[in-house]
Amino acid sequence: MSDQNVRNAGFTSSGIRGGSLASSMMSHEARASGGGVHSGGPTSTLQGMGARGSTHSSGFTSSGISGGSPASQMMSQEARSHGGGTPRGGTTSTVQSI
């Protein structure tokens, strides 16, 4: 995943850009959870990367998730909490797709 993709999606160091994919994700996630965006969810994870201005050490790459990285730990934790698989639209799949 490139820093530019995260910024292009609307996750920036100054917050989520209005009218962007990021704002749409945030709105959808908030509606689905009853009004809030959960810490560790797709929106907060990507916004954290956008705020730092760097995705390089996250482990999300164009060729997949790097073993032993924070991304692989996130994927493993998400798989355990969903009975062995990472759900479509979950944190790992959303962040990897961007």
Side-chain angles (χ1 to χ4, degrees):
M1 167 173 35
S2 77
D3 296 338
Q4 190 61 44
N5 287 353
V6 172
R7 283 190 299 275
N8 287 347
F11 298 99
T12 72
S13 59
S14 58
I16 291 178
R17 191 174 58 243
S20 66
L21 172 63
S23 67
S24 177
M25 279 180 61
M26 182 174 67
S27 176
H28 177 74
E29 191 176 340
R31 282 194 308 273
S33 67
V37 176
H38 297 290
S39 176
T43 302
S44 65
T45 300
L46 285 162
Q47 181 52 38
M49 291 176 184
R52 284 189 305 277
S54 177
T55 62
H56 298 296
S57 63
S58 66
F60 293 98
T61 73
S62 60
S63 57
I65 293 175
S66 300
S69 68
S72 70
Q73 293 171 3
M74 179 187 296
M75 182 176 69
S76 179
Q77 180 181 8
E78 191 172 17
R80 281 192 306 274
S81 69
H82 287 93
T86 54
R88 184 176 189 185
T91 303
T92 303
S93 63
T94 301
V95 174
Q96 180 61 29
S97 71
I98 292 176

